Amino acid sequence: MKKILIIEDDKTEVEALINVIKHVNSDSKIMTADNIGNAFQYAVEHNISLFIVDIILEPQKKSDVSGMEFVETIRNLPQYKYVPIIFITSLDDSRLYAYENLHCFRYIQKPLLYSEVETVIEDALNYNVLVKSEVPLKIKQDGVIYVIQKKDILYAYSKGAKMKIITKKEEYDFYYLTCSMLLDMLKSDCFIKCNRNTIVNQSYIISIDQRNNLIEMDGCSDEIKIGKGFKKEFIRGFCEND
């Protein structure tokens, strides 16, 4: 499920943006904040897929650019280094800084043309998945840094203190790495837990046998089971990312 955070002080604009997002991706979880305090709280507590930020959040203050200051801060957080950010504003002199220094995805001038906003949001959500999947997984163990291309990972499972990652070409063993930790490191919607100890790459799923709770993976003959307690969420997550 995509989580989108709108940071905008104009309630009318917020409602309009929510309607556009629902049209683009009806399953998105949309959060809104009209100040950077609440925005930071949402950013820390949730894994945001897209930020839509008004540069001016306190128009009563002269030369206010608190939305841009918020973005400057979150760009320093590892989890938000590559997450797309769309700026919306009535300013016409911040475009160069927003693109070159804050690496914003797009800069949209007010008044908003919502057909344009819809296209930009759709592109940003697709870009988010692409960029996250292209950043390689890096795991350090015994003084060695292993670099694994995420697109090559078929699945991973933990047993005891060991995590085994199976790729198209080889297998890796890592110790004291949990599924939750690995998912956080992967930061990609392609990966999903199918049982308490196993994560699969949805890109390689050929079929899901719901009667026998089994997953068939392309290029892999291993039997991968769907946990009873995970079945409903797994099927829902798989269908949402279709």
Side-chain angles (χ1 to χ4, degrees), residues 8-197:
E8 166 66 74
D9 64 306
D10 187 319
K11 293 182 179 179
T12 302
E13 296 281 18
V14 170
E15 289 301 318
L17 287 167
I18 289 174
N19 290 333
V20 171
I21 294 168
K22 287 181 177 178
H23 186 261
V24 172
N25 190 322
S26 59
D27 294 325
S28 294
K29 179 178 177 60
I30 304 169
M31 291 163 277
T32 66
D34 60 6
N35 61 80
I36 59 175
N38 289 339
F40 278 124
Q41 183 175 350
Y42 282 126
V44 171
E45 294 178 353
H46 300 272
N47 186 19
I48 306 299
S49 302
L50 170 65
F51 292 91
I52 301 175
V53 184
D54 185 0
I55 290 178
I56 302 174
L57 296 173
E58 300 181 70
Q60 69 278 11
K61 292 185 178 181
K62 187 177 180 179
S63 302
D64 174 64
V65 287
S66 51
M68 192 172 289
E69 291 168 356
F70 166 80
V71 173
E72 286 178 333
T73 302
I74 65 167
R75 276 298 189 223
N76 291 318
L77 301 177
Q79 67 267 38
Y80 293 129
K81 184 177 181 180
Y82 300 104
V83 172
I85 295 169
I86 298 171
F87 276 119
I88 52 175
T89 186
S90 56
L91 293 175
D92 59 5
D93 60 353
S94 301
R95 186 185 304 267
L96 186 61
Y97 178 79
Y99 274 115
E100 292 191 353
N101 296 282
L102 301 181
H103 311 292
C104 78
F105 184 79
R106 280 289 297 275
Y107 181 107
I108 303 177
Q109 194 79 21
K110 289 184 178 181
L112 301 178
L113 179 63
Y114 289 101
S115 59
E116 177 189 5
V117 174
E118 181 175 326
T119 300
V120 172
I121 290 174
E122 187 171 11
D123 288 346
L125 290 174
N126 291 331
Y127 174 85
N128 188 34
V129 173
L130 177 63
V131 170
K132 284 183 176 182
S133 64
E134 288 180 345
V135 177
L137 177 67
K138 300 173 185 176
I139 302 177
K140 183 177 181 180
Q141 180 171 267
D142 297 330
V144 178
I145 298 177
Y146 296 87
V147 180
I148 305 172
Q149 298 301 320
K150 296 178 186 177
K151 62 182 178 61
D152 293 336
I153 299 175
L154 299 174
Y155 73 101
Y157 69 91
S158 63
K159 186 174 182 180
K162 183 170 70 175
M163 170 69 71
K164 183 176 285 290
I165 297 178
I166 293 88
T167 72
K168 293 190 294 184
K169 296 181 179 180
E170 55 189 307
E171 300 181 2
Y172 299 86
D173 290 331
F174 299 102
Y175 292 90
Y176 307 109
L177 180 63
T178 67
C179 283
S180 295
M181 292 166 62
L182 181 57
L183 279 173
D184 187 58
M185 295 167 70
L186 288 166
K187 296 185 184 301
S188 171
D189 294 330
C190 290
F191 297 91
I192 187 170
K193 287 181 72 174
C194 62
N195 62 56
R196 187 166 59 90
N197 301 313

